[in-house]
Amino acid sequence: MQAIFETLFDIVYLCTVITLGVMMIVKSQGRNEIRLFGIMAVVLGCGDAFHLIPRAYALCTDGLAAHAVSLGLGKFITSISMTIFYVILYHIWQQRYHKQNKEFMAAVYILAIARVLLCFMPQNDWFSADAPLSWGIARNIPFAILGILLIVLFFREASKTNDKAFRFMWLAITLSFLFYIPVVLFSSAFPIVGMLMIPKTLAYVWIVWMGFQDMRCAETPKR
């Protein structure tokens, strides 16, 4: 039952975000913010595919334990792609609110580079079915700080400018981390906690959907 549900959910998720992303890229027509949103969605979907497709295959065949290498590689690639996702989201914030803050940009890139470097450390033992929790926590510390920074930035600017389209962007980012952090901390000991990845994934779909809806509203002729 889990295999069927997860596989169907993952197929719908990947098809949705990649399709929305391609549509935004194609329809951006020189609007850099929309193009960035589209690229971000495609990065999200393609990066997650490296983990979700092997996971679906493992669930539908001989189990997760038999596919530790492919699942570990997928998790590694997803970790990198999610970092890129948030860097692009920062640039969307810049474009939307016309901000050129060198300190914020430096912080975003320092945190992103720290996260990527930590992901490349061999101590992560990505290909093991029993990867160390300590490194799972370590590589997610700069990632979480990056998320908090974006939450604050979007909340502040959306409130200040009365940006109705992105008024809940901060909430979607917050939810994605609130559902993700318990998985990092407790899923090894309590596998049921891994189910939180479903609402976490839906929070990402919400982020992409906000960008897509904003594009559609911009395309609608004003009467």
Side-chain angles (χ1 to χ4, degrees), residues 42-113:
V42 172
V43 167
L44 172 67
C46 291
D48 282 356
F50 279 95
H51 174 62
L52 296 179
I53 292 175
R55 180 177 173 84
Y57 178 79
L59 287 172
C60 293
T61 54
D62 48 355
L64 300 175
H67 298 272
V69 173
S70 59
L71 290 171
L73 178 62
K75 287 174 67 177
F76 167 74
I77 293 172
T78 298
S79 297
I80 303 299
S81 64
M82 286 310 311
T83 308
I84 297 171
F85 175 92
Y86 280 109
V87 172
I88 297 173
L89 189 57
Y90 169 75
H91 284 288
I92 290 171
W93 175 84
Q94 274 191 319
Q95 292 275 329
R96 190 171 188 86
Y97 302 111
H98 309 291
K99 298 291 183 179
Q100 295 295 330
N101 188 300
K102 292 181 179 179
E103 288 78 14
F104 287 153
M105 180 176 285
V108 166
Y109 276 91
I110 289 170
L111 291 167
I113 291 169

Side-chain angles (χ1 to χ4, degrees), residues 7-216:
T7 300
L8 290 175
F9 178 84
D10 292 343
I11 290 171
V12 172
Y13 159 63
L14 293 174
C15 289
T16 298
V17 295
I18 292 174
T19 300
L20 292 177
V22 170
M23 289 176 67
M24 283 188 278
I25 293 170
V26 171
K27 294 185 176 183
S28 61
Q29 297 177 341
R31 291 172 293 176
N32 199 40
E33 183 189 327
I34 298 299
R35 184 175 61 85
L36 283 174
F37 241 111
I39 293 171
M40 185 181 74
V42 172
V43 167
L44 172 67
C46 291
D48 282 356
F50 279 95
H51 174 62
L52 296 179
I53 292 175
R55 180 177 173 84
Y57 178 79
L59 287 172
C60 293
T61 54
D62 48 355
L64 300 175
H67 298 272
V69 173
S70 59
L71 290 171
L73 178 62
K75 287 174 67 177
F76 167 74
I77 293 172
T78 298
S79 297
I80 303 299
S81 64
M82 286 310 311
T83 308
I84 297 171
F85 175 92
Y86 280 109
V87 172
I88 297 173
L89 189 57
Y90 169 75
H91 284 288
I92 290 171
W93 175 84
Q94 274 191 319
Q95 292 275 329
R96 190 171 188 86
Y97 302 111
H98 309 291
K99 298 291 183 179
Q100 295 295 330
N101 188 300
K102 292 181 179 179
E103 288 78 14
F104 287 153
M105 180 176 285
V108 166
Y109 276 91
I110 289 170
L111 291 167
I113 291 169
R115 155 81 164 178
V116 171
L117 290 176
L118 286 169
C119 286
F120 270 98
M121 297 298 288
Q123 290 88 342
N124 286 285
D125 204 6
W126 289 105
F127 302 143
S128 169
D130 190 26
L133 175 61
S134 59
W135 277 88
I137 294 172
R139 66 177 178 262
N140 278 293
I141 290 174
F143 187 54
I145 297 172
L146 176 59
I148 292 169
L149 176 60
L150 285 167
I151 290 166
V152 172
L153 293 178
F154 272 103
F155 177 79
R156 189 175 68 180
E157 293 303 323
S159 300
K160 187 187 300 183
T161 60
N162 193 28
D163 186 355
K164 293 182 179 180
F166 280 15
R167 66 187 181 278
F168 294 127
M169 182 64 76
W170 70 272
L171 179 58
I173 301 169
T174 301
L175 290 174
S176 72
F177 277 95
L178 288 179
F179 291 126
Y180 176 62
I181 290 172
V183 174
V184 173
L185 296 176
F186 306 118
S187 63
S188 296
F190 307 99
I192 190 65
V193 176
M195 294 295 291
L196 290 175
M197 291 298 283
I198 293 175
K200 175 250 187 187
T201 299
L202 293 175
Y204 283 125
V205 174
W206 190 15
I207 292 172
V208 173
W209 184 252
M210 278 187 259
F212 182 73
Q213 283 290 89
D214 188 54
M215 180 194 74
R216 290 182 62 187

